[in-house]
Amino acid sequence: MPATSPSAPAHHAAGHHDPGTPPATVRAAFALWVTAVAAGAFETALMVGREPADAIGVGLAVRLAVFTAAVLVAVRMRRGAGWARITLAVGLGILGTASLVVEPLGYLIDGGSLGDALARADTLEWAFGMSRTIHLAAVLTAVALMFLPTANRYFRGPA
């Protein structure tokens, strides 16, 4: 029976490995995904306070499902699952970002003015805008961090 080293990596199901402690880039990306989810939850709470009760049911359920899935997938990413990194990058980094910017871009494309929007914004809209800015910055930075060289080595695992 061959001896095994306690420092030898444990191999799991196809595409998974036990890479050890994640590098700082991956830990930071994880923290930013959690920040993005928290910002999304805050934005949802602000919308719930403003929308009629009958208009929020399905949207609230969808957001809750997305937030839950995002945190669960981010946990797997932090543990070194390459599929989770790709899922976050495509699902939230691309599709999620598009969903965050489509309404403001549509407003501007339809001739709306940023100056006018800012001039008539109330406290709730300012809070929403600040949260949305944090949300977008967290997502875009998390995606970038997940693909830096140290993160790439972590997701590739031992050679």
Side-chain angles (χ1 to χ4, degrees), residues 43-64:
E43 292 159 25
T44 300
L46 291 175
M47 289 188 319
V48 166
R50 187 164 262 197
E51 296 292 323
D54 60 339
I56 60 172
V58 173
L60 192 58
V62 168
R63 285 174 175 268
L64 180 59

Side-chain angles (χ1 to χ4, degrees), residues 37-38 47 49 62 66-67 85 104 109 112-113 121-122 124 145:
V37 168
M47 289 188 319
V62 168
V66 169
F67 297 155
R85 174 173 72 153
I109 289 169
S113 158
D122 62 15
L124 192 62
L145 289 172

Side-chain angles (χ1 to χ4, degrees), residues 67-153:
F67 297 155
T68 302
V71 170
L72 293 174
V73 173
V75 166
R76 295 301 306 265
M77 179 277 301
R78 189 177 192 279
R79 292 181 183 163
W83 66 264
R85 174 173 72 153
I86 299 303
T87 299
L88 289 167
V90 173
L92 298 179
I94 295 172
L95 301 175
T97 296
S99 75
L100 294 176
V101 300
V102 70
E103 186 179 340
L105 286 178
Y107 170 78
L108 294 173
I109 289 169
D110 288 342
S113 158
L114 182 58
D116 288 344
L118 293 174
R120 64 177 161 66
D122 62 15
T123 303
L124 192 62
E125 288 165 332
W126 275 101
F128 188 88
M130 293 304 296
S131 181
R132 181 60 54 98
T133 301
I134 291 166
H135 190 157
L136 276 168
V139 167
L140 297 175
T141 306
V143 169
L145 289 172
M146 290 190 311
F147 290 93
L148 290 176
T150 56
N152 289 337
R153 285 190 295 278

